[in-house]
Amino acid sequence: MSEVALARKPWAKTLDRTQWRSLLAANLGWLFDGFETYALILTASLVLRTLEPGAPATQVSFLTGATIAVTLLGWGFGGIAGGVFADYFGRRKALLTSMVLYAAFTGLTAVSWSWTSFLVLRFITGFALGSEWGTGTSLVAETWPAHARAKAAGLMQCGLGLGFFVASACWYFIAPLGPDSWRYMFLIGVLPALFALWLRRKVPESESWTSAHRRRRELKQRDGELTAHEKSFTRLTLRQILVDPKLRRLTILGSLMSLVTTLGWWGISTWVPAYVASRAAGSGQSATAWASGAGMIYNAGAIAGYIAFGFIADRLGRKPAVLLYFAASLVLTPVLFLWTHSLGLIVVVLVVNGFFTLGQYTWMPVWLPEFYPTHLRATGAAFVFNAARFVAFLGPLTAGAIISKLGGYGVAATAVGSIYVLGLVVAPFCPETRGQQLPD
């Protein structure tokens, strides 16, 4: 059936079981990533007090930022390596490998005996975490039709918010269990290993990747001169996206926007629980309870933002959706951290802030797969998504240093939030791809 005929039917009725399974696999993989990531954000301060009890209170924010930064660095290296792996060995195998590795090292994090051992395990866990996103994004993009692809990307990306929400809910009950409660949070992260068993049996490989992989093998075995397009199959994928002029331009533009989204979130929103806790403590209420509650409220807005982006991008286009989310995030950062002081009003602003600042991540699984051909898709999407972390890791460090020096979250968040201006400048130069078939 043609795309035109499919588009006339309700989008959910145009899909088969295989497409839904692919989406579920990518969504759950990202949910586990979200749980593990937000578990670190929620527990970092407690981990430091347990493993480095002699650290001065003034250094806690900086050390927390350093811990998050190390995880980001591992995520960046692992994400790029995972994208290359997925283009050569398959989406399904890469997703399965990522699940098993990060489940194992998340569990090992629970038995950390020093801050140094914790940092090393965080780096390795981040490495394993990073390889999941590019693989899942490519799998969903290659199995879903053009008229529903953005919606699928939003539904996949909302797994991150669901993971954050689950982590906040778990921490609400686990936090009162004592100084070692953080260890229980990381033990829960072993569960993805069980999901990997289902993934191995139920989720098929992408037919698009299988076809591209077959052509790559044939071209490598062919004698004689290859055309420029044929050489793109035989050249190392990471090199090809940088030497091809068109792909290099798209990679640079995408990486700049990825930097905006990544630096903006890690440098700003990671401080949401701590900021709300400080406001609650000043009002004589439980800081721990409010920190957990803030995470759940913020991520409820984010989940809606993830899903909504896909529908907006399919209706208005990729470019208008991105510009809307960047502009709203630029405005909402000072609204939350500088101008909102009442706990009741903070709850409202948290929902709206989460909708845009975290919900904007959906632009990457929506837009990036449409930049690259199948045999380079996972590498290209993973590179853009993860390379930004080599700069974005400075966000938590910078914000942590500003907080330590100036003693307030508002100035730090607003300063880092100015990065959204860059996104508003860069996005108009990217091609509009709404309704188009994926490049071969």
Side-chain angles (χ1 to χ4, degrees), residues 35-52 60 62-72 74 104-127 129 171 179-187 266:
F35 175 90
E36 210 284 338
T37 301
Y38 213 63
L40 172 64
I41 294 171
L42 291 170
T43 63
S45 297
L46 181 59
V47 172
L48 290 171
R49 287 196 295 270
T50 303
L51 300 180
E52 292 288 327
V60 171
F62 177 76
L63 293 176
T64 299
T67 302
I68 295 171
V70 167
T71 303
L72 273 175
F105 284 101
T106 296
L108 289 174
T109 299
V111 298
S112 300
W113 59 92
S114 67
W115 188 53
T116 300
S117 66
F118 185 76
L119 284 182
V120 171
L121 289 168
R122 292 313 309 158
F123 179 85
I124 300 173
T125 303
F127 188 94
L129 281 170
W171 187 236
D180 285 328
S181 55
W182 61 272
R183 299 184 188 274
Y184 306 137
M185 285 290 285
F186 289 109
L187 281 175
W266 284 97

Side-chain angles (χ1 to χ4, degrees), residues 56-367:
T58 55
Q59 293 184 10
V60 171
S61 293
F62 177 76
L63 293 176
T64 299
T67 302
I68 295 171
V70 167
T71 303
L72 273 175
L73 282 176
W75 198 328
F77 284 112
I80 295 173
V84 175
F85 184 93
D87 275 337
Y88 283 105
F89 298 99
R91 315 321 192 194
R92 180 172 166 273
K93 185 177 292 185
L95 196 59
L96 180 64
T97 303
S98 172
M99 294 279 183
V100 173
L101 287 178
Y102 82 69
F105 284 101
T106 296
L108 289 174
T109 299
V111 298
S112 300
W113 59 92
S114 67
W115 188 53
T116 300
S117 66
F118 185 76
L119 284 182
V120 171
L121 289 168
R122 292 313 309 158
F123 179 85
I124 300 173
T125 303
F127 188 94
L129 281 170
S131 62
E132 189 280 329
W133 183 88
T135 303
T137 293
S138 299
L139 181 64
V140 170
E142 291 166 3
T143 54
W144 279 60
H147 70 276
R149 192 186 305 128
K151 300 178 184 68
L155 292 169
M156 183 206 86
Q157 194 69 26
C158 81
L160 184 69
L162 291 171
F164 286 2
F165 189 89
V166 171
S168 297
C170 288
W171 187 236
Y172 183 84
F173 295 102
I174 292 175
L177 299 181
D180 285 328
S181 55
W182 61 272
R183 299 184 188 274
Y184 306 137
M185 285 290 285
F186 289 109
L187 281 175
I188 294 175
V190 176
L191 293 176
L194 300 177
F195 166 70
L197 297 176
W198 173 83
L199 174 65
R200 183 180 180 183
R201 295 176 54 234
K202 297 293 185 179
V203 178
E205 183 55 84
S206 159
E207 293 182 4
S208 295
W209 175 83
T210 300
S211 176
H213 182 61
R214 186 184 305 115
R215 189 176 185 194
R216 175 182 280 121
R217 286 187 303 177
E218 291 172 352
L219 290 172
K220 284 185 175 181
Q221 296 171 0
R222 181 190 295 180
D223 295 327
E225 189 68 24
L226 300 178
T227 66
H229 179 64
E230 290 171 338
K231 287 180 180 178
S232 72
F233 282 83
T234 60
R235 188 179 287 132
L236 178 67
T237 57
L238 191 57
R239 182 181 174 218
Q240 179 61 26
I241 67 170
L242 297 176
V243 299
D244 182 284
K246 179 183 177 181
L247 295 181
R248 181 172 61 243
R249 179 178 180 273
L250 291 174
T251 299
I252 292 172
L253 292 173
S255 296
L256 288 173
M257 290 197 299
S258 178
L259 176 64
V260 170
T261 296
T262 306
L263 180 61
W265 189 77
W266 284 97
I268 300 170
S269 302
T270 49
W271 301 103
V272 164
Y275 169 69
V276 176
S278 69
R279 302 303 308 177
S283 302
Q285 300 192 41
S286 170
T288 301
W290 269 94
S292 298
M296 289 186 282
I297 294 167
Y298 176 75
N299 285 294
I303 292 168
Y306 288 135
I307 297 172
F309 186 99
F311 285 83
I312 294 171
D314 267 345
R315 176 59 64 91
L316 302 180
R318 282 47 170 154
K319 200 176 300 186
V322 168
L323 291 172
L324 170 64
Y325 273 64
F326 280 161
S329 298
L330 178 65
V331 173
L332 286 166
T333 298
V335 169
L336 175 62
F337 287 95
L338 285 179
W339 305 329
T340 307
H341 305 295
S342 164
L343 286 175
L345 190 56
I346 282 176
V347 170
V348 177
V349 177
L350 276 176
V351 174
V352 183
N353 188 285
F355 184 98
F356 290 105
T357 58
L358 190 49
Q360 71 179 252
Y361 264 101
T362 296
W363 80 260
M364 286 188 263
V366 168
W367 219 356

